[in-house]
Every structure is written in C-alpha cells, then in structure tokens.
C-alpha cells in the first residue's frame, strides 16, 4: 500500500474508533537495519545502523478526558473500541491479547517517573508496515513514535537523544527486554541516506553518507520468527557481564569494548568460562569491525565493507551463537552469489533477517535465485525488501 492509501485508511479508522478525527496529526517512525556492529551496544561499543522506509504510522490527538486510548490496526482487528487506561492507573505490564500496548504505556510510565505530567488524555491509532518478528525494530519504532507523540502533544520538548533513552528505559524496565540503545537511537536519530555511527558508551554520534554507487541494500527475511523477549538475548548479555567482571579483576576497564583485540588476548586468562570468553571475543572484534567498516565506507572501499559484514556474520554464528541455520543458509547463499558485496544477519538474531549489499542489476536475480534455493534447502519461503534510508521518527505531512 502506498503512503496516501495508508493515511486515508487510517483517518477512516480513526473516525470509526475514536468518533472524531478533526485534529488528528500524522506521525511516522521508521524501523532500522544495522549494517554492522551487532551486539556491541550493550558492551559500550560502536554500532552502524540506518533508519528504513518501513515503519509505523500513527494518528494522534488529545481527547477531552484523562485517559490514554490506543488502537492498533495490525493487532486489534477483533476489537471495535480502543484500549483505554487512565494515566494514573499505569503501573505494571499487562498480559493478554492486547499486550502490544505495553510498549506505549511503558513509555508513559517512564515519562511520568521522570516528572512529565499529562494534563489531558491522548488518542493514538497505529498502523505499521514493518514485518512482524523480522528483527527490524518494530518495538523501538513503537516506543520512540509514542514518546515523540507524547512530547509534541503535551509540549514536553523531549529531544531525539532523550526520546531514544526514555524509550530504551521503557523496554528495559517495563517490558523487561534488556536491550542496548542502538534500535531506539537509530529510529529516533536516523538521517535520510545516511548511516549513524554511534558510540554506545558516550552516545557521541556522526552520520556517514551511504554512498553505495551501483549497489542496493536488500533485506531478506528468513521468516523464522524472532522474539527477543523470549530469547536468550538477556543470557548473552549476562555472559558478557560475567566476562567483564572477571577481566576487571586484573585490568581497569568499564566495558568490554574498552579493550583492543590484543588486550583481550592478553587478559583472556582471567575469564573463567570459555563460553563467556567467546562472547567477549565477539563483542571486542565486532567493535573493531564496525569502526573499520565505517572507515571503509568513507574511503569508498565497498569491497572491504562487504568482507567485514561477512566476518561479522561468522563471529555472530561461531562466537556469539545467535544465528539459526536458516540465517546461516541465507548468508552462505549470498556470499556465493555474483554481484553481492557482503551479507550478514542483522539485529538481535535467533531468527529475523539478513542484510546484503547487492549490485543493482543483480537484485532481481538475487531475489529469484536465492529465494528458490533457500526454499529448497530449508522448506521456508524468504521475503525480500528493497529499502530506502530515511529520517528518524517525528511528525510528518499528510
Ligand atoms: C537487538 C537489541 C539491540 C542490539 C541488537 C544486537 O536489536 O534491541 O539493543 O543489542 O539486538 O546488536
């Protein structure tokens, strides 16, 4: 569906669900794809993501009551009225068929804890075209979008970096997923045709123009559903923390990514569990790769950029153990495909997508041939998305 039809449908639905659409304003949050720097954000390292065309739209307006009313066109098809909760009643995570509301109400909870006061109720209707469970940050998109809506409609004046931090806090403390800052930062601070190089320890960031010349970004969904809330994501973080605390007994560092590869090697004897050491090795080497890759992109060395992407996948597979056989199959098929510069799993892992840099003239063949071979080898159908790189979340014109 194109943007105009999406927005028309949303206005019609808004009227049906909330009874009026007179003042509703349109907002959009992109999803994100991470080019390189995976599982480094929670270890104080660098990430290199960009915001993508696919995302979540929202229509929002103040209401005359004191409650937050929410409706999702993606999840609430069985309901004819919005989910409603008074701001003063938000306390704990909800379960049940409308559990998606934990993301927006989690954000409201965090903002109130930081002293922001909602003086009127708010109605929000959401519609997303991000594939569900694909690992393209639908959760972060929903959180950041809602934070920005609350800020605009209630006059909170929250800037993009703070919006990312509050959204991450909602995900960590309300939803219970101990994610790093990458996803929320990318969808909040993304810039059209640029990737964001973010130091997750200091939150210093810079933009790097994505000059891919005759190449395109292709996202391939393995269609192995990915859900980080129920995955071993929190366990991987714990394993890194265990490695960090072992190393801290012999070397003064505040996070794993403070170490160079040589230093990790030098202090490796202090890490008691070999599994924890492999996790640390991934984080430190991936941090080095992320920096080298952003330098390679700036220097126009796409071949180097691609090799680093491939190496990232290998480390996520062998050291961090967050790939699944389907993602490994997609990556291997892409590595052997003429016209592909680099390919790797992207996001948290345990299912979800790969990101590949493919020569423009070979994109169709990539989709046809890799799609067929993937189905033959795994029995699953892959989905392919050609995406543009876009700006971060905010109000948009209808
Ligand atoms: C998920 C998390 C991010 C990040 C990635 C892996 O997307 O939400 O914080 O850790 O996994 O790089």
């Amino acid at each position: 569906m194109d943007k105009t039809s999406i927005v028309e449908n949303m206005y019609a639905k808004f009227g049906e669900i909330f009874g009026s659409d007179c003042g509703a304003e349109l907002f959009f949050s992109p999803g994100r794809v991470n080019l390189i720097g995976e599982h480094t954000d929670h270890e104080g390292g660098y990430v290199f993501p960009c915001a993508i065309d696919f995302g979540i739209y929202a229509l929002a307006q103040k209401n005359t009551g004191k409650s937050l009313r929410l409706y999702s066109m993606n999840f609430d098809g069985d309901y004819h009225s919005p989910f409603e909760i008074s701001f003063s009643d938000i306390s704990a995570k909800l379960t049940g068929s409308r559990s998606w509301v934990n993301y927006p109400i989690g954000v409201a909870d965090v903002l109130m804890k930081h002293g922001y006061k909602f003086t009127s109720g708010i109605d929000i209707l959401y519609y997303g075209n991000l594939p569900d469970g694909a690992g393209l940050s639908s959760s972060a998109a929903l959180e950041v979008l809602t934070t920005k809506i609350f800020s605009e409609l209630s006059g909170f004046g929250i800037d993009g970096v703070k919006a990312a931090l509050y959204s991450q806090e909602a995900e960590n403390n309300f939803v219970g997923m101990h994610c790093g800052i990458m996803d929320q930062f990318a969808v909040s601070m993304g810039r059209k045709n640029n990737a964001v190089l973010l130091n997750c320890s200091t939150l210093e960031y810079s933009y790097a123009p994505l000059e891919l010349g005759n190449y395109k970004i292709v996202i391939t969904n393995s269609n192995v559903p990915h859900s980080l809330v129920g995955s071993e994501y929190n366990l991987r973080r714990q394993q890194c923390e265990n490695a960090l605390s072992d190393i801290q007994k012999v070397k003064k560092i505040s996070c794993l990514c403070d170490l160079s590869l040589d230093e990790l090697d030098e202090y490796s004897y202090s890490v008691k569990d070999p599994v924890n050491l492999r996790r640390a090795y991934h984080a430190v080497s991936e941090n080095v790769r992320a920096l080298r890759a952003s330098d390679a992109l700036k220097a126009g060395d796409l071949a180097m950029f691609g090799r680093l992407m491939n190496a990232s996948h290998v480390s996520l597979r062998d050291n961090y153990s967050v790939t699944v056989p389907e993602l490994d199959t997609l990556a291997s098929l892409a590595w052997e495909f003429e016209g592909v510069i680099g390919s790797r799993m992207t996001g948290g892992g345990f299912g979800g997508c790969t990101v590949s840099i493919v020569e423009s003239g070979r994109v169709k063949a990539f989709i046809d041939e890799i799609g067929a071979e993937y189905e033959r080898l795994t029995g699953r159908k892959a989905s392919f998305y050609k995406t543009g790189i876009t700006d971060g979340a905010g109000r948009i014109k209808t």
Side-chain angles (χ1 to χ4, degrees), residues 123-138:
D123 294 338
I124 311 177
L125 175 93
Y126 299 96
Y127 171 78
N129 61 5
L130 267 175
D132 202 25
L136 300 175
S137 286
S138 50

Side-chain angles (χ1 to χ4, degrees), residues 32 37-39 41-42 177 179-183 228 233 347-348:
R32 68 94 188 89
E38 211 68 84
H39 286 285
D41 62 348
H42 42 78
M177 208 308 253
C179 62
I181 188 62
M182 171 172 74
D183 301 348
L228 291 180
Y233 183 96

Side-chain angles (χ1 to χ4, degrees), residues 244-253 266-271:
L244 175 64
S245 73
D246 285 349
I247 297 171
Q248 280 171 329
K249 290 182 189 129
V250 292
K251 165 93 179 150
K252 202 166 173 291
I253 50 168
E266 188 180 332
Y267 292 99
S268 56
Y269 71 91
S270 65
V271 180

Side-chain angles (χ1 to χ4, degrees), residues 116-196:
Y116 295 96
K117 292 193 173 42
F118 290 91
T119 52
S120 69
I122 293 178
D123 294 338
I124 311 177
L125 175 93
Y126 299 96
Y127 171 78
N129 61 5
L130 267 175
D132 202 25
L136 300 175
S137 286
S138 50
S139 318
L142 188 51
E143 291 150 1
V144 171
L145 180 64
T146 308
T147 306
K148 294 205 174 179
I149 290 170
F150 288 158
S151 177
E152 294 272 328
L153 298 191
S154 307
F156 295 156
I158 297 169
D159 67 25
V161 174
K162 276 225 165 99
L165 287 166
Y166 291 144
S167 298
Q168 182 200 15
E169 195 176 325
E171 177 126 9
N172 289 172
N173 299 344
F174 199 89
V175 178
M177 208 308 253
H178 301 154
C179 62
I181 188 62
M182 171 172 74
D183 301 348
Q184 290 79 3
F185 201 96
V187 307
S188 185
M189 298 294 292
R191 179 181 284 180
K192 194 172 171 56
N193 296 330
N194 281 260
V196 192

